[in-house]
Amino acid sequence: MPKIFTLISVALLVSLSAMSQKNPSLNKDSILGGATDKTKAQKEMKKAQKYYRMGVGTHDEALKYYLRLHEYYTNDPALNYKIAACYLGGSNKKAALQYLLSSEPSVAKDYYFLLGKAYQYNYQYTEAREAFEKHFELQNKWNRKGKLNQLMQQKRECTFGQVALQDSTPVFIFNLGPVVNTYYDDYGAVNVSEDSLFYFTSRRPDKEPSRRVSRFKFNEQIILAEGSLQDDPTLAQSLKGLRGKKHYAVAGYDHQQDLLYYYKGKKRTGEIYTTDVVKGKAKKRKSLNGAVNHIAYKETSIAIDDNGMAYFISDRRGGEGGKDIWYCKKKGKNRYARRRNIGDLINTPFDEECVYVTPNGKTLYFSSNGHDGMGGFDVFKSEKQENGTWGEPINLGYPINSPSDELFYRTTQNPDIALYSAVRADGHGGLDIYKIIKDNRIPFTLSGVVTDQKSQDPLQASLNVFDLETNELVASAVSDSISQLYSMAFEDVSNYFIQVDAEGYESLGDTIICPTERHAELIMNFELNKLKSPFTIRGYVRDSATYEPVLATINCYDAVADTLLTRQVTNEENGKYSVTFADKYLLRIEISAEDYFTLKDSINTQFIDSAYIKRTYDLVSSKTLYYLDGKVQAEGMAETVDASLLFYQSGEAYPFEATDTDSLGMYKVVFDSAGPFEVEVKSEGYFFINDSIQFLETDSLHKTVDFTLKKMQRGAKIVVENILFNSGKTSLQPTSFAQLDKLANLLNENRDIRIEVSGHTDNTGSATVNKKLSKARALAVRNYLITKGVEEERLEYEGYGLDQPIAPNNTAEGRAQNRRVEIKVIE
């Protein structure tokens, strides 16, 4: 176990205690026997063992190589155990379970403990409890005594977890992205301004290491981030003025005085200081005096409300055990007096961490592994009572909390957004910073019965709900004539109107009084009046070009009185409709659908002898269609390529359209807008390419674009487009990540390929500086690819500065082309 002396040392050490450092021997003969290239397999085994022995901070690196070994032989209990241990030490903890179940209890003494954690991370709490109990039973008498409290806490977690999953908290949780979150731990964010400036703590290095190291190798530092929390931050850089051989971490923020509180520590002690931040640099650094800091103990986080009451974390004596929450009154800018423990209703014999109080002093948030939770550290809140005491802590529930650790929950100046740190499956490595956005929607269900007004017999009726503000169809249902029920689910409330129709009956409409509480069940029953002389119009609504069914709205008016008689909606699957009237009218009918021209019709039903007529309406599309075609071929060859083309809206992560080439390498696709679109063309064994497609006003509605792919063979080289860095720095801009993710996917799909990442510059500035900068940028790209699963030994890097231009440097366009990142296949 590595020694970790940081702001979150206790939190991490508790989590890491679940990750075994047992090192059972692999069955080398069986594993290597399944490999076609035994020399390569031996190297992979050596790499895996090296990173595994280094500890949890490099287990994700060991995992890459263990999974390669697993492809050669799947039945080695030690290998499956180690893969599971690596998953438990990383972000994707759920994946550990299948490998532990493929291992066996005799492989290591803590097998059942890890199995319990794996079940817990998969929310299988009954199985988790059984595994924890089995682990406890296998301990000797002396170990049992020390582990009894741990077992009882684990059983409480299993009990609480089962309940918490039944009623989730209405929130959305988003990772803040790779500008903020890295392979290293990132945590403790505090929002300090409405324009979304915030500080956080990171274990990232100042310079990218050339070889993968433990996430815990580097000291904590404070990072200043900028950018909208509604989207993702666009810039993150070290806070100037707080660097050295000690750890520096965000401890809190005083909004009244615009003071940043930070933790400064080394080894097992640490204290809290304040600083003014002016233009990105810390000024006037001062230690807290009086009741907060103590030379013999460790103070980590602090929160101050607008009335000057401070709450802080300390492991000092006189508490309930472990780390506790203490409070005191602020007496001056940096002085506090009359320290008191907040009491055993909040503090437990285990640890409380990461305290935060809202500015009005009414709500206290903190993390704890001693209260009833889902596992690890959960976030809790307590409300201040009228008598000034704090109320019973409430677990914030799933999905905010999970069996992993959740820490540093803090609200922002946007009441619907909070920030916290957690280990989640979509993380970039270790602790990441997430934003929690409150889901203000009020989902509800609407159900009921439709019956004949006189006989009360159930009717088969169509029910359509419209939004009166937009006149759009929101939901449709058909009542079941057997069960008498209809049911519709709504994601949110609005100004809704419901139309009920049954053939031979008078249509009925009503407004919906929406509920004010989430998941309410609204009941609306309808009784329809049977008509003596009904008249019905039936038919279909189709696309005029394809004859495919169209979801359309049919409005029927009395042309004489100019009043709306009824509104009907076609069946989405077949375009069928049926409209019944109480009498015969001179009708004006309007058929409308999204992306189609409205069609109007007039029918004088007074001169029709039958009780019904048929009408089929073909709607003409209102969209202008754009046709793109072409071929995909291999560079330098006449042969075509079996390729896939993916089309993206600008800035979107998922394609809106996809197509494949035919046997002749040709493709065709139709768009309903002119673009611009981003297209990705890819084929197995080839470098992908990206391009932009747009139909200009000067173009026709048809465009032919051919693509040429470069084969991934030794010496092949491509420029990776849109890899941008912050000015004069080696940090990647956010627009680079999508392209790098595609490159990582390509390399993971072609795992026998080794490449060189090379950085290039224009001729502006010193040749020496350019070469150094280009190499550091190539290293940043290489390390990003490693975090996405590409093995370290497959990636070389180099910086060539201004030595290899691909365009003249005497124009701005040429210099822009020369500032590039290239990929070259070296094996």
Side-chain angles (χ1 to χ4, degrees):
M1 180 70 63
K3 291 184 177 179
I4 309 170
F5 305 115
T6 69
L7 172 64
I8 58 168
S9 61
V10 172
L12 280 179
L13 284 170
V14 169
S15 296
L16 300 183
S17 67
M19 316 314 162
S20 173
Q21 289 296 291
K22 301 293 186 294
N23 193 10
S25 298
L26 299 178
N27 187 336
K28 295 182 180 180
D29 292 338
S30 296
I31 295 172
L32 297 178
T36 54
D37 187 342
K38 291 181 174 52
T39 301
K40 180 181 178 182
Q42 285 176 331
K43 291 181 179 179
E44 290 169 342
M45 185 175 291
K46 185 177 180 182
K47 285 271 190 181
Q49 296 291 66
K50 169 191 170 184
Y51 285 118
Y52 187 81
R53 286 192 298 268
M54 287 173 63
V56 178
T58 53
H59 271 192
D60 53 353
E61 202 65 25
L63 178 62
K64 299 175 187 177
Y65 300 100
Y66 280 138
L67 289 175
R68 295 294 295 270
L69 299 177
H70 194 264
E71 293 178 4
Y72 308 141
Y73 185 68
T74 61
N75 296 323
D76 181 20
L79 177 58
N80 284 310
Y81 170 89
K82 288 184 174 182
I83 290 174
C86 290
Y87 273 123
L88 287 173
S91 300
N92 187 15
K93 300 178 186 297
K94 286 186 176 182
L97 181 58
Q98 61 175 310
Y99 294 96
L100 281 170
L101 293 176
S102 298
S103 184
E104 56 188 35
S106 61
V107 72
K109 291 182 178 180
D110 60 353
Y111 170 84
Y112 281 108
F113 179 79
L114 266 65
L115 182 62
K117 297 301 292 183
Y119 274 127
Q120 196 174 19
Y121 290 129
N122 282 274
Y123 303 106
Q124 295 176 236
Y125 286 105
T126 300
E127 294 85 351
R129 181 197 300 266
E130 293 173 355
F132 288 136
E133 290 174 342
K134 185 68 174 179
H135 175 70
F136 181 77
E137 291 170 4
L138 294 176
Q139 305 301 306
N140 61 40
K141 181 176 66 174
W142 300 108
N143 284 343
R144 281 191 182 187
K145 185 176 181 180
K147 292 182 180 294
L148 181 59
N149 286 340
Q150 180 187 63
L151 174 65
M152 299 307 296
Q153 178 64 13
Q154 289 163 344
K155 292 172 72 172
R156 287 195 296 271
E157 291 171 356
C158 292
T159 300
F160 180 85
Q162 286 179 315
V163 175
L165 288 176
Q166 305 305 313
D167 186 19
S168 60
T169 304
V171 294
F172 303 104
I173 302 176
F174 300 99
N175 190 290
L176 284 190
V179 171
V180 168
N181 295 313
T182 64
Y183 165 76
Y184 306 91
D185 288 313
D186 303 282
Y187 46 90
V190 292
N191 178 234
V192 300
S193 65
E194 291 183 2
D195 59 2
S196 299
L197 177 74
F198 67 95
Y199 303 102
F200 66 94
T201 306
S202 179
R203 297 294 297 268
R204 69 189 67 183
D206 290 327
K207 296 181 180 180
E208 290 282 349
S210 60
R211 289 289 178 263
R212 181 60 82 211
V213 297
S214 171
R215 292 202 311 271
F216 312 127
K217 178 178 177 61
F218 302 103
N219 285 350
E220 292 173 302
Q221 61 167 308
I222 297 176
I223 305 293
L224 169 63
E226 298 176 4
S228 171
L229 288 179
Q230 294 286 359
D231 301 311
D232 285 334
T234 55
L235 181 64
Q237 57 189 3
S238 298
L239 178 63
K240 299 176 182 177
L242 291 180
R243 297 310 306 273
K245 295 182 179 180
K246 296 185 179 182
H247 294 276
Y248 291 86
V250 174
Y253 197 83
D254 185 342
H255 289 272
Q256 288 287 83
Q257 299 189 45
D258 286 331
L259 286 177
L260 174 66
Y261 287 76
Y262 66 93
Y263 163 88
K264 178 181 177 182
K266 189 175 183 181
K267 294 189 177 180
R268 293 196 179 277
T269 60
E271 295 182 342
I272 297 175
Y273 295 75
T274 65
T275 182
D276 294 300
V277 179
V278 181
K279 296 181 179 180
K281 186 174 183 178
K283 303 280 190 180
K284 301 178 181 178
R285 293 164 290 182
K286 295 181 180 179
S287 174
L288 297 189
N289 298 317
V292 177
N293 288 331
H294 193 292
I295 192 172
Y297 303 108
K298 186 174 185 175
E299 290 71 40
T300 57
S301 60
I302 189 169
I304 304 95
D305 65 25
D306 289 345
N307 296 316
M309 188 63 72
Y311 301 85
F312 65 96
I313 298 293
S314 177
D315 60 356
R316 67 186 63 223
R317 294 179 182 175
E320 300 300 324
K323 287 191 176 183
D324 276 8
I325 300 174
W326 300 74
Y327 69 98
C328 56
K329 184 71 175 177
K330 191 173 183 180
K331 295 298 184 181
K333 190 171 184 179
N334 288 293
R335 188 170 184 83
Y336 299 82
R338 294 195 67 185
R339 171 188 67 252
R340 293 181 181 179
N341 190 284
I342 204 169
D344 60 4
L345 187 64
I346 303 293
N347 292 323
T348 69
F350 291 84
D351 287 305
E352 280 61 54
E353 265 286 8
C354 314
V355 65
Y356 173 76
V357 66
T358 54
N360 61 13
K362 293 183 178 180
T363 307
L364 190 75
Y365 295 95
F366 62 96
S367 294
S368 174
N369 61 3
H371 290 285
D372 289 348
M374 300 185 71
F377 278 86
D378 278 16
V379 179
F380 297 82
K381 74 172 182 179
S382 175
E383 301 290 347
K384 181 164 280 190
Q385 308 300 297
E386 292 184 1
N387 62 3
T389 63
W390 289 102
E392 186 79 30
I394 300 172
N395 189 297
L396 291 193
Y398 175 82
I400 293 177
N401 290 318
S402 75
S404 296
D405 287 324
E406 286 75 37
L407 302 157
F408 300 104
Y409 183 97
R410 289 163 177 157
T411 61
T412 70
Q413 297 194 14
N414 184 328
D416 288 335
I417 299 178
L419 297 173
Y420 84 151
S421 303
V423 178
R424 297 173 65 91
D426 61 346
H428 295 268
L431 281 168
D432 276 11
I433 300 172
Y434 291 82
K435 59 182 174 184
I436 303 172
I437 302 179
K438 184 179 178 181
D439 183 0
N440 291 312
R441 297 177 302 172
I442 304 177
F444 68 97
T445 58
L446 172 65
S447 59
V449 296
V450 181
T451 57
D452 181 291
Q453 189 178 66
K454 290 185 177 179
S455 68
Q456 294 298 302
D457 292 334
L459 297 177
Q460 186 171 13
S462 63
L463 301 97
N464 298 294
V465 177
F466 300 85
D467 189 319
L468 289 176
E469 296 177 3
T470 64
N471 206 35
E472 293 182 354
L473 176 69
V474 177
S476 296
V478 175
S479 63
D480 190 321
S481 59
I482 298 176
S483 68
Q484 305 184 28
L485 289 172
Y486 74 90
S487 181
M488 287 179 274
F490 296 83
E491 292 186 352
D492 199 6
V493 298
S494 188
N495 187 12
Y496 294 137
F497 180 85
I498 187 168
Q499 176 89 21
V500 187
D501 295 282
E503 190 166 331
Y505 287 81
E506 185 176 2
S507 296
L508 187 64
D510 198 0
T511 56
I512 299 175
I513 307 301
C514 293
T516 57
E517 295 184 359
R518 293 176 58 86
H519 305 300
E521 296 182 2
L522 187 63
I523 304 296
M524 292 184 72
N525 298 322
F526 298 96
E527 296 179 351
L528 300 188
N529 179 33
K530 191 169 185 178
L531 300 172
K532 294 182 179 179
S533 302
F535 178 80
T536 302
I537 302 177
R538 303 170 186 159
Y540 298 86
V541 178
R542 310 175 301 184
D543 183 290
S544 63
T546 65
Y547 298 112
E548 293 292 321
V550 174
L551 176 64
T553 301
I554 301 174
N555 291 323
C556 300
Y557 298 87
D558 181 339
V560 176
D562 195 26
T563 57
L564 178 67
L565 296 173
T566 185
R567 175 186 286 151
Q568 181 62 274
V569 178
T570 61
N571 184 296
E572 188 172 7
E573 295 183 358
N574 56 26
K576 187 176 181 180
Y577 73 92
S578 177
V579 186
T580 300
F581 304 92
D583 203 349
K584 293 184 176 181
Y585 299 90
L586 175 61
L587 294 175
R588 187 177 83 251
I589 301 176
E590 294 182 358
I591 305 96
S592 58
E594 186 177 2
D595 298 324
Y596 288 88
F597 291 108
T598 298
L599 181 63
K600 297 182 179 180
D601 189 18
S602 295
I603 305 175
N604 192 343
T605 63
Q606 298 168 344
F607 299 105
I608 298 175
D609 294 331
S610 64
Y612 73 91
I613 60 171
K614 292 183 179 180
R615 275 285 204 279
T616 294
Y617 296 103
D618 294 333
L619 300 186
V620 177
S621 174
S622 60
K623 291 183 177 180
T624 300
L625 299 180
Y626 300 84
Y627 299 85
L628 177 71
D629 60 25
K631 65 180 178 180
V632 181
Q633 60 187 18
E635 184 181 67
M637 305 177 191
E639 66 183 58
T640 58
V641 176
D642 182 15
S644 296
L645 295 91
L646 306 175
F647 297 89
Y648 299 82
Q649 299 285 1
S650 181
E652 294 296 323
Y654 300 99
F656 70 90
E657 186 67 68
T659 190
D660 296 321
T661 56
D662 59 20
S663 59
L664 299 177
M666 307 298 293
Y667 74 91
K668 293 180 180 180
V669 65
V670 180
F671 304 110
D672 56 20
S673 68
F677 313 120
E678 301 298 324
V679 57
E680 178 188 354
V681 187
K682 62 181 184 178
S683 179
E684 186 176 356
Y686 291 83
F687 284 112
F688 65 85
I689 59 175
N690 289 279
D691 203 354
S692 181
I693 301 292
Q694 183 168 15
F695 291 82
L696 302 176
E697 292 183 2
T698 55
D699 294 335
S700 68
L701 301 181
H702 175 267
K703 185 188 288 280
T704 297
V705 179
D706 297 332
F707 297 100
T708 301
L709 298 182
K710 185 172 293 189
K711 200 168 186 64
M712 294 182 68
Q713 56 191 4
R714 180 176 293 186
K717 184 188 299 184
I718 64 164
V719 175
V720 188
E721 304 289 348
N722 299 320
I723 305 302
L724 303 176
F725 297 86
N726 292 307
S727 179
K729 298 182 181 295
T730 62
S731 54
L732 290 157
Q733 290 188 6
T735 52
S736 306
F737 298 132
Q739 191 78 342
L740 289 177
D741 288 345
K742 293 177 183 178
L743 179 59
N745 290 337
L746 178 68
L747 294 172
N748 286 328
E749 291 169 359
N750 298 270
R751 293 194 297 189
D752 292 330
I753 296 293
R754 292 184 66 245
I755 66 168
E756 178 191 81
V757 182
S758 60
H760 303 265
T761 68
D762 58 27
N763 66 348
T764 305
S766 161
T768 301
V769 171
N770 276 329
K771 184 160 288 191
K772 183 178 180 181
L773 179 63
S774 64
K775 186 171 184 177
R777 287 178 169 179
L779 175 60
V781 170
R782 169 191 178 269
N783 284 354
Y784 184 87
L785 295 175
I786 291 173
T787 66
K788 295 300 178 178
V790 184
E791 293 86 351
E792 183 178 308
E793 72 272 11
R794 295 174 55 203
L795 302 171
E796 302 295 331
Y797 71 99
E798 189 53 79
Y800 295 99
L802 50 81
D803 294 343
Q804 297 181 6
I806 58 173
N809 274 307
N810 55 5
T811 65
E813 292 79 8
R815 289 191 294 274
Q817 291 183 55
N818 289 330
R819 297 189 297 270
R820 69 196 189 277
V821 173
E822 286 185 346
I823 300 299
K824 181 174 71 174
V825 178
I826 57 179
E827 187 179 310

